[in-house]
Amino acid sequence: LQEKNFPESTRANTQGAIGTALEEQGRYEEAGQIFERAEKWDNAASWAYLKGGNLPKAQAMAERQMAFDSSGGRVQLAVVHLAGEDLDATQAALDRLQGAERFEEIPAMGRAMVAYYRRDAAILLEATRAMNNDYMQSGGLLAHRGLFTG
């Protein structure tokens, strides 16, 4: 692909498709490398590295994503920190989100998870009340919001 004179968007989409195919085969490191070379596929690269257990590379790609997608990169950085069980870094990444971004589904669920792990009932209640959906889903958890809000 690099030797051909394709437009960058064609090259990036082709690399994204190859990375996706590799990821579906469980070849996470290779997928991450392909996604890294594709323009603006940093979130996909971060997820591939995360699935493969390469937290430093997952973090680096989330940080790189922030250059063109500040909110998405911060959320991905929080996910990486949560996977590494670093609750302080997870909370710090979520706290850097601005205004309404903090209460979108994934950041709100992240705040709820951190509060749950810390056994902080007040923050857990605040985070779950701010969610727009009736059900929360994260990983293996699917629960009605009322389970936490009463």
Side-chain angles (χ1 to χ4, degrees):
L1 285 173
Q2 299 301 329
E3 297 171 8
K4 301 292 181 190
N5 194 18
F6 292 120
E8 186 56 41
S9 61
T10 300
R11 183 177 297 117
N13 288 336
T14 302
Q15 289 172 318
I18 292 168
T20 300
L22 290 168
E23 188 175 21
E24 288 175 1
Q25 295 172 25
R27 296 164 62 183
Y28 301 117
E29 193 72 24
E30 293 171 84
Q33 292 167 1
I34 295 290
F35 287 136
E36 265 190 83
R37 291 193 299 262
E39 184 179 325
K40 296 187 178 179
W41 282 72
D42 299 335
N43 184 269
S46 180
W47 275 108
Y49 288 128
L50 187 60
K51 289 177 184 176
N54 189 339
L55 294 179
K57 287 293 283 187
Q59 180 175 338
M61 295 312 302
E63 290 169 349
R64 192 169 99 171
Q65 179 183 354
M66 286 190 280
F68 63 90
D69 178 11
S70 176
S71 175
R74 290 187 199 292
V75 170
Q76 183 63 19
L77 186 59
V79 169
V80 172
H81 287 312
L82 189 59
E85 299 180 4
D86 186 340
L87 299 181
D88 291 336
T90 302
Q91 188 65 56
L94 293 171
D95 287 346
R96 285 192 292 271
L97 292 169
Q98 301 296 312
E101 295 174 336
R102 300 178 87 183
F103 300 103
E104 291 175 6
E105 183 178 358
I106 294 174
M109 187 65 192
R111 288 182 65 224
M113 290 176 72
V114 169
Y116 177 80
Y117 292 140
R118 289 183 168 160
R119 295 182 174 27
D120 186 333
I123 298 296
L124 179 60
L125 187 59
E126 175 187 315
T128 53
R129 281 186 175 156
M131 292 179 185
N132 295 325
N133 300 330
D134 287 336
Y135 285 88
M136 304 179 330
Q137 183 172 1
S138 179
L141 171 69
L142 175 63
H144 192 276
R145 188 169 52 147
L147 177 69
F148 297 102
T149 61

